[in-house]
Amino acid sequence: MSQNSTIDVASVSLISPMISSQKFTPSAPLKLGIMASGNGSNFEAVAQAIQDGQLNASIQVLVYNNPGAKAAVRAANWGVESVLLNHRDYKSREDLDRRIVQTLRQYDVEFVIMAGWMRLVTQVLIDAFPEQMINIHPSLLPSFKGIHAVEQALASGVKITGCTVHLLCLEVDSGPILMQAAVPVLPDDTAETLHARIQLQEHRILPQAIALAAQRQCLTLV
């Protein structure tokens, strides 16, 4: 396979539902709280979508749990306040989640976006934001739940994987699916190269899925 053909295949993706130019525009910007544990590239994708006028929202706060998380640096670069809630400082997951709820409410958050949050959450957090918590996962759920989803896909020999944005529930990487993007697995893929291509699609679908979730809730309340 030539280098050019590899690039062509690598750029292919299938997004469902399709990204539409017709955007749901709430009467006021959605107030988002983003939770992240690592690099924060999806945080930046949401911030960029807001700046570009693709998502009518504001990021109220970033909550992160690892002191060295680069997500906090990205937040500072975008002028977004960040709060470190180190999970190691709490006796239980419930104690951590109660503190997260308190923080998110302090910043008047409406929708919670888990963008690479690498901790299991409890009913304490889910009950505080029913149908208002969104997670992004690097696989086509329900396949390859949990950690190391990209490595799971490679080990299984699948030819297509991708990413999923879904509403959160207590079961890991479950809940109603909002949006998915399929990504081909290339013969010479490593976990790093495949994950990089999946992340490109994550950055495309996460802002759109946030708007879909807000529209879904609006219709439910009517």
Side-chain angles (χ1 to χ4, degrees):
M1 180 179 289
S2 69
Q3 182 178 7
N4 287 339
S5 63
T6 300
I7 293 173
D8 290 340
V9 173
S11 65
V12 171
S13 66
L14 171 65
I15 293 176
S16 182
M18 293 180 62
I19 292 178
S20 172
S21 59
Q22 295 182 339
K23 298 177 177 63
F24 167 68
T25 304
S27 57
L30 302 172
K31 297 176 182 179
L32 307 180
I34 297 185
M35 297 169 58
S37 297
N39 187 46
S41 66
N42 276 309
F43 166 91
E44 187 137 37
V46 173
Q48 189 67 57
I50 293 170
Q51 179 175 282
D52 293 344
Q54 298 173 358
L55 178 65
N56 186 17
S58 65
I59 302 176
Q60 305 291 99
V61 66
L62 167 76
V63 174
Y64 66 109
N65 65 307
N66 287 322
K70 292 182 180 179
V73 177
R74 293 182 191 262
N77 290 340
W78 282 91
V80 174
E81 290 191 52
S82 60
V83 176
L84 172 62
L85 298 179
N86 192 332
H87 60 276
R88 302 165 187 86
D89 296 335
Y90 297 85
K91 293 182 179 179
S92 69
R93 296 185 190 276
E94 288 79 7
D95 286 345
L96 172 61
D97 282 358
R98 276 188 280 270
R99 186 68 182 89
I100 292 172
V101 170
Q102 181 182 2
T103 300
L104 294 173
R105 287 179 171 163
Q106 176 186 339
Y107 284 89
D108 198 24
V109 166
E110 296 173 323
F111 276 84
V112 183
I113 316 303
M114 298 179 66
W117 181 257
M118 302 305 292
R119 303 292 302 172
L120 295 175
V121 302
T122 69
Q123 203 68 46
V124 170
L125 184 53
I126 293 171
D127 287 346
F129 295 92
E131 302 293 311
Q132 295 166 281
M133 295 193 67
I134 299 167
N135 184 50
I136 188 159
H137 183 73
S139 80
L140 292 176
L141 294 174
S143 297
F144 312 127
K145 296 181 179 182
I147 62 173
H148 307 307
V150 176
E151 289 84 352
Q152 290 182 58
L154 286 172
S156 74
V158 297
K159 305 306 179 187
I160 297 174
T161 185
C163 50
T164 303
V165 184
H166 64 97
L167 294 176
L168 202 72
C169 69
L170 193 59
E171 183 182 347
V172 174
D173 296 324
S174 299
I177 290 173
L178 295 168
M179 205 164 194
Q180 292 183 305
V183 175
V185 181
L186 304 183
D188 56 351
D189 260 331
T190 64
E192 291 73 22
T193 61
L194 180 55
H195 193 213
R197 291 204 317 285
I198 290 173
Q199 278 198 319
L200 291 176
Q201 302 308 319
E202 290 179 355
H203 300 163
R204 294 179 69 190
I205 70 173
L206 180 56
Q208 181 89 359
I210 293 169
L212 287 174
Q215 183 178 29
R216 172 191 176 113
Q217 187 185 59
C218 183
L219 292 174
T220 300
L221 295 175
V222 170

